[in-house]
Amino acid sequence: MKTIHKTLSALTLLTLSGISLAQAPIERQAPPPPPPDQQQAQPYPQNPPAYPQQDQPQYQQQPGAPDQQQQAPPPPLAPQQLDQLVQRIALYPDPLLAQVLTASTFWNEIPDAATWAQQHSFMTGDSLAQAIQTDNLPWDPSVLALLPFPNVLDMMARDPQWTGTLGNAVLSQRPDVMDAVQRQRRVAHDYGYLTPNSYDNVVDNGGYLEIQPINPAYYYVPIYSPAVVFYRPRPGFIISTGIRFGPVVTIGPAFGVYGWYGAGFGWGGHAIFIDHHPWTRTYYNRGVYVHPYAHPYVRPASPRVESHAHYEEHGGDHHH
């Protein structure tokens, strides 16, 4: 009898152990990091941000595709959150800021574009514009517009959480985003940091601070710390050192198809203009919206060119 009890007890324990094992969560180990050569090939995070939830943009609604418009937008950000969100770009010249805001709504295209821009950072002007055409790059024109600014794309790609949050804010609460930019500009202006200089004009237009490049073909990206320019200067601090500027970026006629002519804002009406047309992409039409560029942009019909040589003007080397 004791033997039977022992056997039953053992069976009961085995059964309970099996049940507990079946119910226990399976811990999945993270995959090992890729080899160094693959890490260099993919320098930017490819995973979508945790906060924004946005589908892959499509330019033509596919028959039978699920209706994207049914998905609710993310909760709106409070003014203080928006102030912090826009601080790193609020002092960009208006045309560049307009391109950054619209490109952020295609945040999932930014990592690839940033990689391409870094690989072709030795190219400028017409040669860069030709390379963009030759490679049949598939991204939205608002993203293509930033390819002459590899450092800006790098900043956006290295912080996909920020870029995606900004993009969704532009889609779902554009007036609030523009108001936040104006608040931050006013703070930097009142503390003496944002002033006219040899790169940009700073104009108060009906209570709205506009920043325009002195020469519309030459852009200089401002470099500054939000922890400095949006706070009262400490005693003895030389205000003129608060904002520096990167090297000149030339935007020639070949970049007009990406919306550079007529890019800016109607601040009073909360409008973003790209190539003279208001940008009306929202969270609800984001799956099908195509911006009406005044200068026709023809999307490449052939596949993207993944590998080819561009001639490097300086040094005569070929870049693959």
Side-chain angles (χ1 to χ4, degrees):
M1 200 71 176
K2 290 183 179 179
T3 305
I4 294 174
H5 279 300
K6 286 182 179 179
T7 304
L8 287 174
S9 299
L11 286 172
T12 303
L13 284 172
L14 284 170
T15 303
L16 290 174
S17 298
I19 293 172
S20 63
L21 284 171
Q23 293 177 341
I26 299 173
E27 295 185 6
R28 301 187 185 276
Q29 293 184 348
D37 57 339
Q38 292 184 22
Q39 288 178 338
Q40 292 175 0
Q42 298 289 342
Y44 301 114
Q46 296 290 327
N47 56 309
Y51 171 79
Q53 191 66 42
Q54 178 177 335
D55 298 324
Q56 177 81 12
Q58 297 175 349
Y59 291 90
Q60 293 182 351
Q61 189 75 19
Q62 299 297 322
D67 188 5
Q68 296 178 2
Q69 283 70 16
Q70 297 303 316
Q71 186 176 353
L77 299 178
Q80 185 177 6
Q81 292 174 299
L82 289 169
D83 288 351
Q84 295 176 347
L85 185 68
V86 304
Q87 280 184 343
R88 68 176 76 177
I89 55 174
L91 305 188
Y92 282 12
D94 281 18
L96 175 58
L97 178 62
Q99 298 282 22
V100 169
L101 292 183
T102 54
S104 72
T105 70
F106 295 93
W107 57 261
N108 54 315
E109 299 181 1
I110 295 295
D112 285 343
T115 299
W116 191 95
Q118 291 293 334
Q119 292 170 345
H120 298 80
S121 59
F122 61 88
M123 305 183 79
T124 58
D126 290 343
S127 62
L128 177 63
Q130 182 59 46
I132 294 172
Q133 295 290 333
T134 303
D135 280 14
N136 291 327
L137 299 178
W139 310 308
D140 187 81
S142 62
V143 177
L144 299 175
L146 294 181
L147 291 175
F149 299 85
N151 290 339
V152 174
L153 281 171
D154 179 77
M155 175 269 293
M156 298 174 75
R158 291 192 182 281
D159 195 349
Q161 177 72 44
W162 174 85
T163 303
T165 303
L166 176 67
N168 269 356
V170 172
L171 289 174
S172 58
Q173 50 183 141
R174 182 176 64 244
D176 298 335
V177 172
M178 293 179 62
D179 288 346
V181 168
Q182 283 296 323
R183 284 194 297 271
Q184 297 309 294
R185 286 184 175 184
R186 182 61 63 183
V187 169
H189 178 270
D190 290 349
Y191 286 144
Y193 292 107
L194 181 60
T195 59
N197 51 61
S198 58
Y199 307 100
D200 298 312
N201 286 320
V202 179
V203 180
D204 190 325
N205 186 357
Y208 298 100
L209 288 174
E210 298 180 352
I211 305 174
Q212 295 289 345
I214 289 178
N215 186 326
Y218 298 130
Y219 285 81
Y220 301 85
V221 180
I223 302 169
Y224 58 90
S225 169
V228 172
V229 300
F230 300 116
Y231 296 89
R232 186 179 303 278
R234 64 180 185 272
F237 183 78
I238 302 174
I239 292 179
S240 61
T241 63
I243 302 176
R244 298 180 295 110
F245 291 88
V248 64
V249 176
T250 304
I251 299 297
F255 288 96
V257 293
Y258 309 125
W260 276 105
Y261 298 107
F265 299 92
W267 290 105
H270 294 117
I272 301 175
F273 290 98
I274 300 293
D275 203 11
H276 303 287
H277 284 264
W279 178 272
T280 54
R281 187 172 194 242
T282 68
Y283 192 84
Y284 293 101
N285 71 5
R286 68 194 188 282
V288 295
Y289 179 75
V290 179
H291 187 69
Y293 288 82
H295 301 75
Y297 169 75
V298 180
R299 295 192 64 82
S302 53
R304 174 183 173 184
V305 178
E306 296 292 342
S307 177
H308 73 283
H310 292 308
Y311 184 75
E312 188 171 358
E313 297 176 4
H314 303 289
D317 295 326
H318 283 76
H319 181 82
H320 295 274

